[in-house]
Amino acid sequence: MIPHDTSALPHRLNVLYSDEVCIAVDKPAGRLSVPGRGALAEGSVAQQVQQKWTDARVVHRLDMATSGVLLFARGANWQSHFGSQFALRLIAKTYVALVTGRLGAQVGDCGQIDLPLCADWPNRPRQQVDVVNGKPSQTHWRVVEHDPHERWTRLALQPITGRSHQLRVHLLAIGHPIIGDALYGALDTAPSSARLMLHAQSLGFCHPISGAQIVIESPLPF
């Protein structure tokens, strides 16, 4: 990580990186990336960042329940640039998750989930695996740690595509839901957790001005 600004915004929102083209903050679990509807219309991370940087523009999002590195562009031109980088899959993203059970016992310590996803319209915002109507979706996983009692596995995850709820649905589909995932009914099968155990640990990109490889990291909270 190359931190240019490690100051804190109000309400314990920590700035991990900032320069003339982008800002990255450490999004807490339980906060919206962008304004929601109704009672959730206020208090998003984007609104808080824009109080300090009025030119900050959203380029990607994290689920409300997910914590970790959240990137903003400085102005419309850089927003377009980073949007293209995400679309072309040139932004390297690594997540860490705790999932139920012992993943890897039968298939090794790494692998790839390749299951098409689409919206579960009657149950929005849930997503689902749909081999007929779903969009291609791939997630690479690697075992980091096993619980000695085989209750959970810590994984490093690299989403190759960026579908809504992709990591959560893919892991649920292979029988190892993320611990604390209330939306997908994983609470009944997982050790007790007050939050979704999914964290955006790092984000890397080639700096558009200097050409340097920037890797921004967020401390792991679990």
Side-chain angles (χ1 to χ4, degrees):
M1 179 179 67
I2 307 176
H4 288 208
D5 184 344
T6 55
S7 61
L9 287 168
H11 310 299
R12 299 180 180 272
L13 183 60
N14 291 323
V15 179
L16 301 171
Y17 180 96
S18 71
D19 65 13
E20 66 272 36
V21 302
C22 65
I23 306 124
V25 299
D26 197 0
K27 177 193 169 300
R31 289 194 59 189
L32 288 172
S33 296
V34 299
R37 297 179 180 178
L40 298 176
E42 301 296 331
S44 70
V45 173
Q47 288 170 306
Q48 191 171 350
V49 170
Q50 288 162 354
Q51 291 175 6
K52 183 170 182 178
W53 290 279
T54 57
D55 60 351
R57 303 288 185 94
V58 174
V59 292
H60 75 126
R61 305 180 186 188
L62 297 176
D63 293 344
M64 183 174 178
T66 304
S67 57
V69 182
L70 186 61
L71 186 70
F72 295 85
R74 300 287 301 272
N77 289 338
W78 293 123
Q79 182 187 39
S80 177
H81 170 84
F82 283 108
S84 296
Q85 298 303 294
F86 274 101
L88 294 170
R89 304 175 187 173
L90 298 177
I91 305 289
K93 297 173 288 183
T94 299
Y95 292 73
V96 172
L98 291 185
V99 303
T100 61
R102 184 181 176 88
L103 177 57
Q106 304 298 324
V107 293
D109 287 338
C110 63
Q112 184 166 302
I113 305 168
D114 189 352
L115 294 170
L117 302 177
C118 71
D120 182 359
W121 289 108
N123 300 297
R124 292 280 288 166
R126 287 173 60 99
Q127 307 291 307
Q128 64 183 350
V129 174
D130 188 329
V131 297
V132 176
N133 301 307
K135 295 181 179 179
S137 308
Q138 297 88 30
T139 298
H140 185 270
W141 59 268
R142 176 177 57 83
V143 172
V144 175
E145 178 186 7
H146 284 123
D147 170 35
H149 303 290
E150 300 191 355
R151 296 172 301 176
W152 52 261
T153 303
R154 186 185 301 272
L155 299 176
L157 303 168
Q158 293 178 318
I160 299 169
T161 52
R163 311 299 179 201
S164 180
H165 297 181
Q166 176 177 314
L167 302 178
R168 299 163 72 174
V169 179
H170 270 175
L171 290 164
L172 177 67
I174 65 169
H176 296 275
I178 299 175
I179 293 172
D181 196 344
L183 180 61
Y184 289 95
L187 291 178
D188 294 338
T189 60
S192 176
S193 172
R195 59 156 291 178
L196 175 70
M197 303 299 264
L198 178 62
H199 182 71
Q201 186 180 37
S202 70
L203 186 148
F205 58 90
C206 180
H207 195 280
I209 295 178
S210 69
Q213 187 66 31
I214 305 297
V215 178
I216 303 166
E217 297 181 335
S218 167
L220 191 64
F222 52 79

